[in-house]
Amino acid sequence: MSGPTLPPHRFYYLRNFQQALSWIGERYEDVLDEQEQLFLARFAELDQPSQALIVRLLMRRGPWFLASKLAYEEIPDVHLAAQPLLAMGWLDARSAMGLDELFSLHTKPELRRIFGDLGVRADVRKSDILKALQAVHGTPRTYTEWNPHADDAAWRVTVGELCERFRLMFFGNLYQDWSEFVLADLGVFRYETVVFDKSSRAFQCRSDVDHYLFLHACREALVDAEELDELLAAVAARPSENPWIEKRRAKLLLRIGQSCERAQDWTRAEQAYALCDYPGARHRRMRMYERMGRYEDAMACALASQAAPESDEESQRVARMLPRLQRALGRGPDGRASSLRSAIAHLRMDIELDCPAEPTSVEYVLRGHWHCEDAPVFYVENALINSLFGLLCWPAIFAPLPGAFFHPFQSGPADIDSPDFVQRRESLFNACLTQLDDGTYREVIQERYEDKRGLQSPFVFWGALSESLLTLAMDCIPAEHLKLFFQRLLLNVASNRSGFPDLVRFWPAERRYELVEVKAPGDRLQDNQIRWLHYCAGHGLPVRVCHVLWRMPVEDLA
């Protein structure tokens, strides 16, 4: 088959798909089965219009399509392009379709022509018409049988599931799609270049792919699952030797446990949490025991957590829970569960400001009140410290370790939330932090700000950074303070990336700074904010909690 050749940019989506298939063929040759190998070979043999048509359909919601409604400028003759696909069985025109599939292809006026007078008002919804007809037309039929007078064809894409598997193998997930290529081509998203070798792939064997798809199906089923016991049994019976897939399984067990709790199925919730080592599962188990009145069991879990906490977050939650459990068990407090809130009470200051005429964030109101040339103030929240950390530690974050990077469209390593994320890169992070000791960090951060500007990163907030903010931060925040911030980040990257105070105040002439958490009337500190404030106060880092009170207008006082 031959056809006109259009400029390459007209087939951008096809070029991207070909790039992905080439990537998969190079890295997954030992994982692909005969059918998948055959697809790669046959796709390469197709003429450009046929390749373009199947890719267009794969990127649309299907699997059924009406030929008359397929119009693409770069594919002059859709029927001609479809012939090789029909011959290979990648498109199918003979399969039976259900009434719901027929309805997905047609508008209400078109359905009236197919079925004649539907006997319903014109304003009745299409979904209600479908329900009314299903009782009479429940048996699947071919499109020709449904619509014998149509001068049209309906095609079903049969390789959708196979290509979804390709998409999973390329991205290592099912939430990214082929549009990632387009966004990268347009410069909307730009990614760090990480050197890949053939071993840089998400799945090491075919069973890994099968296992991921199994967990994905279970997670989809959990949305409206009624048979939670069957789902729990299925997930519990399929551990994986692949660490990051096993982590997904643990997270799913946590979700199943929570669903069991909501259904007040305490026995199965306990089973799910007992099988799960995902962060937070132990605390959920404690809470469940407390709700059930099993205070001794809850106390045993709490004391085990207190002795070896998985994170600061768990320590904080257990400290809040212990007094309740002690009261329930008739025991006196042991003095170890003192509130972090009382420990940071001395950080509070109150300030009275005029209420803004237009709704404005309280952080911006206070920033405007304090900001001046000699003492500039920035609203940074989580952006500043994370960005400085991300720039300094860029080589460690983007190190091409096994299981970290699978494809060119990753904003960060896939294992960033794994418990061993820092441990695997310990020497690299240590080398980066050493630059805070020898004074080279300023030059390194500045160079990375210039060289990496705009590249996706899990830590760097490019939109919040500026030359002036970067200069002030490095002039006014001592290296030893940065090291303290970064060390706590590295203790638990997943939870410690958030909770930083809202504002940063600088006094350039004095080369000092202060972080300020801002609260409007009625606002309370969140748990992650309390943990950061407690850490800062305990390590001599200048921090404050400012409660804003609105000054009542004069006319209201009259």
Side-chain angles (χ1 to χ4, degrees):
M1 187 180 78
S2 61
T5 301
L6 297 176
H9 69 275
R10 304 286 288 280
F11 293 96
Y12 66 90
Y13 58 93
L14 175 56
R15 180 191 64 205
N16 296 338
F17 191 74
Q18 289 168 330
Q19 180 182 337
L21 292 188
S22 175
W23 178 280
I24 291 165
E26 291 174 5
R27 288 166 173 78
Y28 284 104
E29 185 178 4
D30 61 315
V31 173
L32 301 176
D33 66 10
E34 184 178 352
Q35 183 185 14
E36 292 158 352
Q37 295 275 15
L38 188 60
F39 179 93
L40 295 182
R42 286 185 171 180
F43 184 87
E45 295 169 355
L46 286 171
D47 284 346
Q48 190 178 57
S50 296
Q51 289 181 335
L53 178 59
I54 191 64
V55 175
R56 280 285 196 186
L57 299 184
L58 286 168
M59 293 184 176
R60 289 178 54 179
R61 185 175 181 180
W64 285 97
F65 299 93
L66 283 178
S68 63
K69 295 185 179 181
L70 299 175
Y72 304 107
E73 186 179 6
E74 75 279 12
I75 309 175
D77 190 332
V78 168
H79 281 271
L80 190 60
Q83 295 314 304
L85 304 175
L86 289 163
M88 291 190 300
W90 292 6
L91 293 183
D92 180 10
R94 297 190 180 94
S95 291
M97 64 170 64
L99 185 66
D100 57 333
E101 294 174 311
L102 177 71
F103 265 58
S104 70
L105 295 177
H106 288 284
T107 64
K108 279 201 299 183
E110 291 168 345
L111 291 168
R112 288 183 182 278
R113 287 194 291 272
I114 294 172
F115 290 100
D117 185 6
L118 295 173
V120 296
R121 301 190 314 273
D123 61 347
V124 173
R125 292 182 302 178
K126 191 175 168 181
S127 58
D128 293 330
I129 298 174
L130 173 61
K131 289 178 183 177
L133 290 178
Q134 278 176 330
V136 181
H137 300 284
T139 304
R141 309 175 191 177
T142 66
Y143 182 72
T144 303
E145 291 171 336
W146 281 117
N147 194 11
H149 303 297
D151 184 20
D152 202 352
W155 297 327
R156 183 174 69 90
V157 176
T158 65
V159 290
E161 187 174 326
L162 181 148
C163 290
E164 277 294 275
R165 193 177 181 98
F166 283 156
R167 181 166 70 91
L168 171 60
M169 293 164 72
F170 181 78
F171 289 111
N173 61 68
L174 285 172
Y175 61 81
Q176 286 181 291
D177 58 34
W178 308 117
S179 65
E180 295 284 351
F181 286 92
V182 181
L183 296 173
D185 287 345
L186 296 174
V188 176
F189 295 136
R190 295 170 49 231
Y191 300 90
E192 173 65 299
T193 300
V194 179
V195 178
F196 296 101
D197 58 28
K198 196 168 183 177
S199 66
S200 297
R201 61 188 196 182
F203 307 99
Q204 298 308 310
C205 57
R206 188 168 186 84
S207 63
D208 283 350
V209 185
D210 295 335
H211 205 142
Y212 186 105
L213 290 169
F214 162 76
L215 293 176
H216 180 75
C218 290
R219 186 169 178 175
E220 293 289 304
L222 184 61
V223 175
D224 53 2
E226 295 181 2
E227 301 298 330
L228 289 170
D229 54 340
E230 295 179 8
L231 198 58
L232 174 59
V235 176
R238 286 197 59 176
S240 172
E241 295 182 1
N242 185 312
W244 73 273
I245 294 179
E246 181 61 14
K247 182 188 171 188
R248 291 185 65 84
R249 189 180 80 98
K251 188 173 183 178
L252 180 57
L253 284 169
L254 175 63
R255 291 178 181 271
I256 292 173
Q258 291 171 318
S259 293
C260 292
E261 275 197 78
R262 286 191 289 271
Q264 296 189 355
D265 187 343
W266 308 116
T267 299
R268 289 189 176 84
E270 182 179 9
Q271 291 173 356
Y273 294 142
L275 292 167
C276 175
D277 61 357
Y278 197 82
R282 181 164 60 177
H283 178 254
R284 296 295 312 183
R285 195 175 178 188
M286 293 179 223
R287 287 283 306 275
M288 184 193 67
Y289 285 151
E290 185 181 21
R291 291 178 65 187
M292 296 171 66
R294 291 170 56 179
Y295 299 116
E296 289 287 359
D297 291 331
M299 178 62 81
C301 282
L303 293 177
S305 169
Q306 190 181 56
E310 67 184 25
S311 65
D312 289 346
E313 182 177 6
E314 188 182 52
S315 293
Q316 184 182 26
R317 288 174 170 176
V318 169
R320 189 180 294 130
M321 180 183 287
L322 277 171
R324 296 198 307 267
L325 296 178
Q326 289 162 346
R327 287 193 298 271
L329 291 167
R331 303 174 189 173
D334 62 4
R336 291 181 294 177
S338 60
S339 171
L340 294 182
R341 289 182 182 273
S342 61
I344 61 173
H346 67 283
L347 301 178
R348 175 169 179 149
M349 69 171 290
D350 295 334
I351 187 169
E352 193 175 67
L353 299 175
D354 290 330
C355 188
E358 299 293 334
T360 308
S361 171
V362 66
E363 293 87 357
Y364 285 109
V365 176
L366 183 59
R367 176 193 173 278
H369 175 74
W370 275 342
H371 183 80
C372 64
E373 185 176 351
D374 294 335
V377 185
F378 295 81
Y379 182 19
V380 294
E381 201 170 6
N382 299 315
L384 180 59
I385 301 302
N386 272 304
S387 294
L388 293 172
F389 171 81
L391 291 171
L392 182 67
C393 297
W394 195 281
I397 296 164
F398 288 95
L401 302 184
F405 291 93
F406 309 140
H407 58 83
F409 304 104
Q410 286 185 231
S411 60
D415 63 334
I416 191 169
D417 291 334
S418 299
D420 62 348
F421 170 73
V422 175
Q423 180 183 349
R424 296 180 65 207
R425 300 160 175 82
E426 186 173 5
S427 62
L428 296 171
F429 278 119
N430 287 340
C432 293
L433 296 192
T434 298
Q435 295 168 113
L436 292 165
D437 300 326
D438 62 24
T440 59
Y441 73 98
R442 292 188 58 135
E443 181 181 353
V444 169
I445 289 176
Q446 187 63 50
E447 286 182 358
R448 295 237 171 88
Y449 176 74
E450 298 294 339
D451 294 344
K452 307 295 185 182
R453 189 178 303 189
L455 296 182
Q456 295 291 298
S457 165
F459 293 98
V460 182
F461 293 68
W462 295 109
L465 289 184
S466 65
E467 289 278 3
S468 59
L469 175 57
L470 203 62
T471 300
L472 284 166
M474 290 191 290
D475 283 345
C476 298
I477 304 178
E480 55 268 28
H481 287 197
L482 290 176
K483 192 168 188 176
L484 287 167
F485 286 124
F486 298 168
Q487 285 172 338
R488 183 169 190 268
L489 265 175
L490 290 171
L491 288 176
N492 191 326
V493 171
S495 63
N496 292 347
R497 281 187 287 172
S498 62
F500 289 95
D502 301 304
L503 304 181
V504 59
R505 304 178 74 184
F506 295 113
W507 289 270
E510 304 169 36
R511 302 181 80 84
R512 67 182 181 92
Y513 75 103
E514 182 180 63
L515 300 178
V516 182
E517 178 62 38
V518 186
K519 292 299 174 187
D523 286 350
R524 298 184 62 188
L525 289 168
Q526 299 173 15
D527 283 352
N528 59 347
Q529 294 171 340
I530 292 172
R531 293 193 295 272
W532 264 114
L533 291 168
H534 185 259
Y535 178 84
C536 290
H539 289 81
L541 303 172
V543 68
R544 187 184 301 272
V545 181
C546 184
H547 289 259
V548 175
L549 308 174
W550 299 125
R551 188 179 293 122
M552 188 175 295
V554 175
E555 55 268 24
D556 290 350
L557 295 172

